[in-house]
Amino acid sequence: MSKVKQYIETSVENAVDKIISKLSDGQIDLDTCKSKILELDNLEMVGITEDNVEEVIDMELETA
């Protein structure tokens, strides 16, 4: 894997984690969380789509 691809994937994952942590802290609601995640660039590199964003959020909240 190229360093650029790895950097982009890590950046997207970190951005998603920050948004989900705001949801778990009660700073934002689920709809806001979903929309903020879907606004991020390069989501396709980490496999997040409009169809599975709720599943990703649920999985992250379960592991937190």
Side-chain angles (χ1 to χ4, degrees):
M1 183 182 317
S2 73
K3 289 183 180 186
V4 173
K5 183 178 178 185
Q6 187 175 11
Y7 172 78
I8 292 170
E9 288 177 349
T10 301
S11 297
V12 172
E13 289 170 355
N14 289 340
V16 169
D17 288 344
K18 285 181 184 180
I19 294 169
I20 292 174
S21 71
K22 287 183 179 183
L23 173 66
S24 66
D25 291 345
Q27 297 177 25
I28 59 175
D29 62 6
L30 179 61
D31 291 331
T32 304
C33 182
K34 288 191 304 189
S35 65
K36 286 185 176 286
I37 289 173
L38 292 173
E39 289 173 0
L40 296 173
D41 293 330
N42 301 311
L43 282 177
E44 66 278 353
M45 294 185 77
V46 294
I48 298 175
T49 65
E50 190 173 328
D51 297 328
N52 71 356
V53 68
E54 279 193 51
E55 292 174 37
V56 171
I57 293 169
D58 290 340
M59 287 189 316
E60 287 295 318
L61 290 175
E62 287 175 8
T63 60

